[in-house]
Amino acid sequence: MGFSTVLLFLLQLLLILLAAQLMGRVARFIGQPKVVGEMIAGVLLGPSLFGWLAPQLQQSIFTADTRSLLYFGAQLGVGLYMFLVGLEFNTRLFKHHAKSAVSVSLAGMLVPFACAALLCLWLTDTPGLFAADISYFNAALFMGAAIAITAFPMLARIIYERGLAGTPLGTMALAAGAIDDAAAWLVLAFVLASFGGGSELLFKALLGGGLYAFIMLTRVRHWLQPLADNIARNNHMSYAQFIGIMLLFAVSAYSMDWVGLHAVFGGFLLGIAMPRGVIVEQLRKRLEKFTILLLLPMFFTYSGLNTQLDVLGSWQVLSVALVVLAVSVFAKGVACWAAARLNGADNRTAMAIGALMNARGLMELIIINIALSYGVIQPALFSIMVVMAIVTTLMASPLFHWVYGRHQPKPTAI
């Protein structure tokens, strides 16, 4: 890798950060979360806009030689992001409002998977969407997971910003979103393990991944507690301690990749397993800005380079996109609304839960990028799912405000 390649990558990084900040500000100006603008910025830097307006210039900047550097930054970013998501994963939520949360979560999974099963009767016969050798079962499982997943970090951010964390609405939505995402990741793990790998690799992935998850969720927090206690006593994390945790992160990510699953599972499991308290605050302080401001825009851009919205010019692909979007919104939103109503929530609260659970955001991009890299889906379906992720995420905040937020009592000044 020559010096010119490094300079070209730095130019890419400059464009990525400028585009992410610009579109992030635009998103906030129109009342959307900043991450929505960053997602759109990644698409704009790809062939869908930059490559359409100036194809030679776009290809001369985002060259094949630098793709490996961008891929590394993107994968590191998404791995650390899932580690941060795991740190925010509050297992105590399941002890309160458990029945209603599980009901909403089950509805938010069962209905999307049923709709995906019906949808794939058509999609698997449409060329250019799934891998040629994929089974109907795996295709339906993937689509079910992609429709069922929720933008849990965004959902949590909206709830905390609105001061709803301790309310029945906030508790139910957070718990249901967490259960949905965990189930979606389990299904994706099964699809990746079984797709084209044979029974031996499937057995290795399920046994190795299951054993690793069991150890992480039952023993690792206990093993790490003395470290957490030391950091809490000093109210400080030393560089040696931080490096040790990052090495543990690398081992965790590598372990999941080695058994045949994706590295992000390792980061997520380690985040859940970390003891809570000062250690989490210190890790977030050191990782959050670096991950969100620098690495995640690289992931959005890498996704954008694989997104070709010109495929929607074909009526066949456009019709698939419209149907997938409509089914996704209906299956998730209506199912969660109905389950919340059946569990005693008033209509406004139930509609708010349906609106929040319908956002897919970054979690959707992660799941479809993994599927694309493993060859489960093809670029046309990837582009369709990117559009679905962006549209459902754009809908979430204004829809939530319309059905619930505008009726919230404003805090009184002291």
Side-chain angles (χ1 to χ4, degrees):
M1 185 177 293
F3 186 63
S4 60
T5 303
V6 175
L7 289 177
L8 194 58
F9 175 71
L10 293 176
L11 175 60
Q12 288 180 15
L13 197 56
L14 176 64
L15 286 176
I16 290 169
L17 295 178
L18 287 175
Q21 290 301 311
L22 175 61
M23 293 306 299
R25 290 177 182 272
V26 171
R28 284 204 170 153
F29 179 75
I30 62 176
Q32 291 285 347
K34 186 181 178 184
V35 68
V36 175
E38 294 171 350
M39 287 169 58
I40 296 173
V43 175
L44 297 182
L45 288 175
S48 299
L49 182 68
F50 188 17
W52 177 64
L53 294 174
Q56 292 184 340
L57 179 61
Q58 197 265 353
Q59 291 172 15
S60 66
I61 294 176
F62 293 97
T63 63
D65 293 338
T66 59
R67 187 67 71 94
S68 59
L69 290 173
L70 191 59
Y71 177 79
F72 172 77
Q75 295 305 305
L76 177 61
V78 80
L80 287 174
Y81 183 77
M82 290 303 295
F83 175 60
L84 291 170
V85 171
L87 291 177
E88 292 183 3
F89 196 91
N90 190 347
T91 54
R92 288 181 296 178
L93 285 173
F94 302 114
K95 298 177 181 178
H96 305 286
H97 302 88
K99 180 183 175 183
S100 55
V102 170
S103 299
V104 171
S105 179
L106 283 175
M109 289 185 291
L110 294 178
V111 176
F113 274 95
C115 290
L118 294 174
L119 197 58
C120 283
L121 293 173
W122 171 43
L123 296 185
T124 50
D125 289 333
T126 304
L129 299 180
F130 287 101
D133 57 341
I134 195 170
S135 67
Y136 165 79
F137 181 68
N138 275 338
L141 281 180
F142 165 75
M143 284 301 296
I147 293 175
I149 203 161
T150 297
F152 179 75
M154 178 181 166
L155 182 152
R157 199 159 297 160
I158 292 173
I159 287 172
Y160 284 111
E161 286 177 359
R162 298 275 184 171
L164 298 170
T167 65
L169 165 63
T171 301
M172 188 188 304
L174 283 171
I179 297 170
D180 272 13
D181 278 9
W185 286 111
L186 286 173
V187 171
L188 177 65
F190 180 84
V191 172
L192 296 181
S194 59
F195 178 70
S199 58
E200 290 184 5
L201 289 181
L202 174 61
F203 179 76
K204 175 186 174 183
L206 294 180
L207 180 62
L211 180 61
Y212 188 81
F214 175 78
I215 293 172
M216 293 292 286
L217 299 178
T218 58
R219 302 305 304 164
V220 170
R221 181 175 293 194
H222 175 73
W223 294 337
L224 290 174
Q225 193 61 54
L227 173 64
D229 293 340
N230 180 268
I231 292 171
R233 279 195 300 271
N234 299 322
N235 199 30
H236 174 73
M237 178 184 290
S238 69
Y239 285 111
Q241 291 169 332
F242 177 69
I243 293 298
I245 294 172
M246 288 298 94
L247 287 174
L248 190 58
F249 165 80
V251 170
S252 189
Y254 175 79
S255 299
M256 287 294 92
D257 194 63
W258 181 77
V259 299
L261 302 176
H262 197 275
V264 296
F265 296 112
F268 183 58
L269 286 170
L270 179 61
I272 295 175
M274 292 298 297
R276 296 312 189 242
V278 177
I279 188 172
V280 169
E281 297 171 10
Q282 292 289 323
L283 285 169
R284 289 183 60 185
K285 186 187 299 184
R286 298 197 180 201
L287 292 173
E288 199 165 41
K289 288 184 179 179
F290 172 70
T291 302
I292 292 175
L293 296 180
L294 179 65
L295 296 179
L296 276 188
M298 295 172 67
F299 173 75
F300 292 134
T301 302
Y302 189 81
S303 298
L305 294 177
N306 291 318
T307 304
Q308 300 176 358
L309 296 184
D310 57 339
V311 300
L312 300 180
S314 160
W315 169 244
Q316 184 184 43
V317 178
L318 179 60
S319 62
V320 171
L322 293 174
V323 171
V324 166
L325 177 61
V327 169
S328 300
V329 172
F330 171 82
K332 190 74 175 178
V334 175
C336 293
W337 165 81
R341 288 289 285 156
L342 289 172
N343 279 276
D346 61 83
N347 192 50
R348 189 178 297 156
T349 300
M351 287 193 294
I353 290 172
L356 289 172
M357 297 288 285
N358 222 336
R360 290 168 180 87
L362 177 57
M363 305 300 282
E364 182 74 28
L365 291 187
I366 294 173
I367 204 171
I368 62 176
N369 268 278
I370 293 172
L372 182 69
S373 67
Y374 275 74
V376 175
I377 61 176
Q378 296 191 39
L381 183 55
F382 177 86
S383 299
I384 289 169
M385 301 305 283
V386 168
V387 171
M388 187 269 278
I390 291 174
V391 172
T392 57
T393 307
L394 282 170
M395 290 170 54
S397 288
L399 189 56
F400 174 80
H401 178 73
W402 182 67
V403 301
Y404 190 90
R406 63 192 176 119
H407 301 287
Q408 274 185 273
K410 293 183 180 180
T412 55
I414 298 175

